[in-house]
Amino acid sequence: MNSKQGNARLSNPLTLVAGGAGFIGSHLVLRLLDQDHEVICLDNLQTSRPSNLSLLQGRPGFRFVEADIVNPLPTAVTGEAGRLTRIYNLACAASPPQYQADPEHTMLTNVVGTNHLLRLAEKSGARLLLTSTSEVYGDPEVHPQQEDYRGAVNCTGPRACYDEGKRAAEALAFDYARMGRAEVRVARIFNTYGPHMNPDDGRVVSNLICQALSDEDITLYGDGSQTRSFCYVSDMVDALTALMESDGDGLAPVNVGNPVELTVAELAERVVAMTGTRNRIVYRPLPQDDPRRRRPDITRARALLGWEPRVGLAEGLEKTCAWFARELAREPESLAAE
């Protein structure tokens, strides 16, 4: 890089993306790089795919720092406090099998890790966007879910490390904002799917597609009547970047998701039809505290951001199935290395 290119680079916005090698995080980093941001990707690689990171490395303006936000942030990050303008916090395992595998770490990531990033935001003057979750609504008794609904969370159950961890992270973020210590935005993300997902992450879309493309039974939990609303990842990134740049005081969470609701059994039927699989469908017991209905009210996102999803389920599933078919066709050694 010549000195002229280096000086131009220094004039670009510097953004930190914690969890930037993960599913949504890697898409977000790619978007920011395409918009000429400099990006520091901070990730402990606990649940991220190395192939996601390989898509990012070598891109102009990209830097990777391997670290865990539960620990004090490394100087490779804190040393850039004078240049940081934006901080995205996507650092937490998001699928139940992953976040329940180490519940202590999940809770600490949400509370201690978020506090570390908020302190960095306070020091740098950067705006911070926290990715919270629809799980703060628990197994909701109000449908669809609006941001003013306080939820029905089992605070002692196996999902509490994630549900309550995210609720605590929101509380921290809003307290920092109310005290004038940091400028924040909070997105409550509903089910998201698309390329860059882990084949074995335990989420319903990746489970169904990978089982359909492999010689495995297709597993439904309960009777399949529980509902979800699925947002394609490019729409999610649109929403997150729009929320980060939105005006206002940021003192209210914003639901981000696709309001089209369908049962898990209907989703399985679509995947079966799309892949042409003849694998049998088997039923397993519904996990404890698994939400029965889930659909976002996105009135606030429409009004504040002018945003709503554009990618329909048929188009999104087709792209996702094609991506997983390519991934599953890779050499077994390549997948085993991940």
Side-chain angles (χ1 to χ4, degrees):
M1 180 190 301
N2 61 41
S3 60
K4 184 176 180 180
Q5 289 173 320
N7 291 336
R9 178 77 47 77
L10 289 173
S11 66
N12 292 340
L14 179 61
T15 299
L16 173 67
V17 181
F23 162 44
I24 298 176
S26 58
H27 284 275
L28 173 62
V29 171
L30 285 169
R31 175 74 61 84
L32 294 170
L33 293 171
D34 287 343
Q35 295 174 347
D36 295 324
H37 288 250
E38 278 191 79
V39 178
I40 299 174
C41 170
L42 176 67
D43 204 299
N44 66 1
L45 300 181
Q46 181 184 43
T47 60
S48 304
R49 307 185 72 235
S51 57
N52 291 350
L53 189 58
S54 68
L55 293 172
L56 304 170
Q57 289 179 319
R59 289 285 302 264
F62 177 78
R63 280 180 274 168
F64 174 66
V65 177
E66 184 174 354
D68 193 322
I69 63 169
V70 168
N71 303 318
L73 299 177
T75 55
V77 173
T78 58
E80 295 286 7
R83 293 189 54 223
L84 277 173
T85 61
R86 298 289 186 265
I87 299 171
Y88 288 88
N89 182 9
L90 293 86
C92 188
S95 71
Q98 290 177 337
Y99 66 66
Q100 290 175 18
D102 189 346
E104 178 188 10
H105 186 267
T106 298
M107 178 65 78
L108 293 177
T109 298
N110 284 313
V111 180
V112 176
T114 295
N115 195 53
H116 284 151
L117 293 175
L118 283 164
R119 290 190 175 194
L120 179 62
E122 180 180 24
K123 177 181 178 181
S124 64
R127 180 181 293 176
L128 180 143
L129 185 146
L130 170 68
T131 54
S132 185
T133 173
S134 60
E135 296 294 336
V136 300
Y137 301 122
D139 187 5
E141 298 162 343
V142 171
H143 193 79
Q145 291 79 57
Q146 295 179 320
E147 291 90 348
D148 59 0
Y149 174 53
R150 298 182 181 181
V153 174
N154 179 358
C155 63
T156 61
R159 301 169 74 104
C161 59
Y162 186 70
D163 301 3
E164 296 288 12
K166 287 292 189 181
R167 287 160 71 101
E170 285 195 19
L172 272 172
F174 290 129
D175 282 339
Y176 268 74
R178 277 188 288 266
M179 292 186 292
R181 295 177 60 184
E183 192 177 1
V184 306
R185 302 288 185 268
V186 174
R188 288 179 177 167
I189 293 179
F190 283 67
N191 291 66
T192 307
Y193 71 101
H196 303 187
M197 300 179 81
N198 262 320
D200 60 351
D201 71 358
R203 303 188 212 203
V204 62
V205 172
S206 52
N207 276 357
L208 292 175
I209 292 176
C210 290
Q211 289 169 349
L213 293 173
S214 307
D215 188 21
E216 299 177 15
D217 293 337
I218 294 174
T219 306
L220 291 181
Y221 294 93
D223 60 4
S225 64
Q226 65 272 31
T227 70
R228 296 293 185 269
S229 303
F230 298 97
C231 186
Y232 191 67
V233 65
S234 62
D235 285 331
M236 181 57 61
V237 171
D238 287 344
L240 295 179
T241 54
L243 179 57
M244 175 64 93
E245 302 306 324
S246 64
D247 295 329
D249 59 17
L251 290 174
V254 179
N255 284 341
V256 182
N258 193 317
V260 177
E261 181 183 10
L262 73 163
T263 67
V264 173
E266 289 169 336
L267 175 67
E269 290 171 4
R270 295 195 184 201
V271 170
V272 166
M274 189 167 289
T275 59
T277 183
R278 294 174 180 263
N279 299 354
R280 66 172 185 155
I281 295 177
V282 298
Y283 294 86
R284 299 284 184 261
L286 193 66
Q288 182 180 340
D289 300 328
D290 194 68
R292 294 161 295 175
R293 300 190 72 185
R294 182 65 60 74
R295 176 163 70 93
D297 183 316
I298 62 169
T299 302
R300 182 174 294 173
R302 288 190 176 111
L304 179 65
L305 311 177
W307 173 88
E308 59 185 309
R310 296 181 295 177
V311 179
L313 186 63
E315 179 186 354
L317 282 179
E318 184 176 358
K319 291 179 178 179
T320 307
C321 285
W323 183 83
F324 271 117
R326 292 192 297 270
E327 288 296 293
L328 294 174
R330 294 169 61 195
E331 291 295 325
E333 296 85 357
S334 170
L335 288 173
E338 299 184 1

